[in-house]
Each structure stands twice: as structure tokens, then as C-alpha cells.
Amino acid sequence: MELAGPDIAAIAQGLMPLLDWRGLPVDLASLAALAAGLGWASGLRLYALVFVLGALARFAGVQLPGGLGVLAHPLVLGISGVLVVVEFFADKLPWLDSLWDAVHTFIRIPAGAALAAAVMGEQGGALQIAMGLVGGTLAAGTHFAKAGARVAINTSPEPASNVVTSFGEDVLFAGGMWMLLHQPLIFLGALAVFVVLAVLLIVVLWRFVRRIFRRRPAPVG
């Protein structure tokens, strides 16, 4: 079947780079939105985030801002790709998920800060530090909300709830990344709602943990 002229043009348009900051007036608000989004995503699916950004830069012609271009290096792509597969399965095993999250408390948060700071790689040290703090804070909030919720879910004897929740996080990450890259203003609004809900969830989980470990009064007599 032959393609008409408009069809060929549409396909060519679809093959154009998804994002390209070259020659475009990127303001600080856009970079700040991207930095905040990377901080949030780091606390949820760090390795998938690194792999997606690197693959977009290497294979889709995406021009990443600041110091993020290093994510397109074959070594970074290869390692992050392997870790994406490992995390995909580890996140769905209740006996391994909580341990994985505990270890990644020391990985996701500094990585979120580093990625957010890298967005401002060409904007000066002050903005790099500021966005690093924002990205690290968002990564920490997302991580602790995720890890705490999964600890509570993992107390259930059946594995289905953990698997369903993990797939839900995969969908949340994919949808959040699409929104960040295509509708950043809507993403910022959704991120604000997410932060409020995450804070409430952390408070509830903290009270739950305190109630569990609170010592019972000794019996009289």
C-alpha cells in the first residue's frame, strides 16, 4: 500500500526529536519544573528515570539541558537498563521489596538531588544547589511515602496486593514522566497534590509505627 503525501509528512513529524532545547528560549521556570520532576521520579523509579532520559538523548535526538547529557553514555545506559530489570522483579516480591527500599534510601535521595542539580548545570552554582535541595527533598518524600506504604502492604499474607501496587507505581511513573515532558504545568499541579498526599501518608504511617512499638503497661500485681 502506497502512502500519500500527508501520511509521509505525518510519519516524518512523528520521528522528529521528542524534545530539543537547542535554539529555544528555555526559561528558569521550565528548568525548575524539570528539576522538580526528576526529583519526584527518582524517589519512585530511579533506574527507569536514568534509562529513559539516556535513551531519549541517545536514540530520539533529545537535547538534555545542563549536565544531563552524560546519561546518554553507553555505560550509563547499560547499567541503568540492567538495574531497571532487576528492580522490576525485586519490587514485586514482598520479602525482597522492603529490603530493596531500605537500601535505596541511601541511593534514591542523593541521586534525585544530583539529577535536579544537573538540570541547572549551565545556570550557576547557586541555582544548582537550590535545585539540588528541592530535588533531594522531593525524592525523599516520594521514597518514604512509597517505602512506608509498601511496608504496610507487605504485612498482608497474600502477594497479590504487593504486585498490584508495584504495577500501579510503574503506571504512575510512566504517566508522570509523559506529563512532565509534554504538559509541565499540569504536572506541577499534580505534583503539588501528590506532595500533600505523601505528607499525610507519612504522618499516618508514622503514627501507626509508633502505636506498634509503644510499650504496653505492665500488668498490676
Side-chain angles (χ1 to χ4, degrees), residues 74-146:
L75 182 60
V76 178
L77 272 175
I79 294 177
S80 62
V82 171
L83 290 174
V84 167
V85 176
V86 173
E87 184 171 55
F88 178 83
F89 291 102
D91 198 64
K92 292 167 178 62
L93 299 175
W95 57 272
L96 183 58
D97 169 63
S98 295
L99 176 61
W100 183 267
D101 281 339
V103 171
H104 280 77
T105 300
F106 306 98
I107 300 175
R108 292 171 181 159
I109 298 173
L115 289 174
V119 173
M120 297 294 180
E122 300 173 356
Q123 307 300 322
L127 283 176
Q128 287 184 13
I129 294 176
M131 285 301 102
L133 293 174
V134 171
T137 301
L138 288 172
T142 305
H143 167 74
F144 286 124
K146 162 189 159 52

Side-chain angles (χ1 to χ4, degrees), residues 12-199:
Q13 182 71 21
L15 294 177
M16 291 179 62
L18 301 177
L19 291 173
D20 192 346
W21 277 272
R22 290 172 297 185
L24 296 179
V26 178
D27 54 21
L28 291 180
S30 301
L31 294 176
L34 179 61
L38 298 189
W40 166 82
S42 296
L44 191 63
R45 290 287 187 269
L46 171 62
Y47 302 125
L49 171 64
V50 173
F51 181 79
V52 167
L53 291 177
L56 287 176
R58 188 165 187 85
F59 304 114
V62 174
Q63 184 73 16
L64 298 176
L68 294 177
V70 69
L71 301 182
H73 191 280
L75 182 60
V76 178
L77 272 175
I79 294 177
S80 62
V82 171
L83 290 174
V84 167
V85 176
V86 173
E87 184 171 55
F88 178 83
F89 291 102
D91 198 64
K92 292 167 178 62
L93 299 175
W95 57 272
L96 183 58
D97 169 63
S98 295
L99 176 61
W100 183 267
D101 281 339
V103 171
H104 280 77
T105 300
F106 306 98
I107 300 175
R108 292 171 181 159
I109 298 173
L115 289 174
V119 173
M120 297 294 180
E122 300 173 356
Q123 307 300 322
L127 283 176
Q128 287 184 13
I129 294 176
M131 285 301 102
L133 293 174
V134 171
T137 301
L138 288 172
T142 305
H143 167 74
F144 286 124
K146 162 189 159 52
R150 296 299 287 277
V151 168
I153 292 173
N154 289 342
T155 59
S156 175
E158 45 77 30
S161 58
N162 184 79
V163 174
V164 171
T165 303
S166 180
F167 276 115
E169 292 173 358
D170 294 334
V171 173
L172 177 62
F173 167 78
M177 286 300 297
W178 184 92
M179 192 179 299
L180 172 63
L181 298 178
H182 293 85
Q183 300 291 338
L185 292 180
I186 298 178
F187 172 83
L188 288 178
L191 178 61
V193 175
F194 178 89
V195 169
V196 173
L197 295 177
V199 170

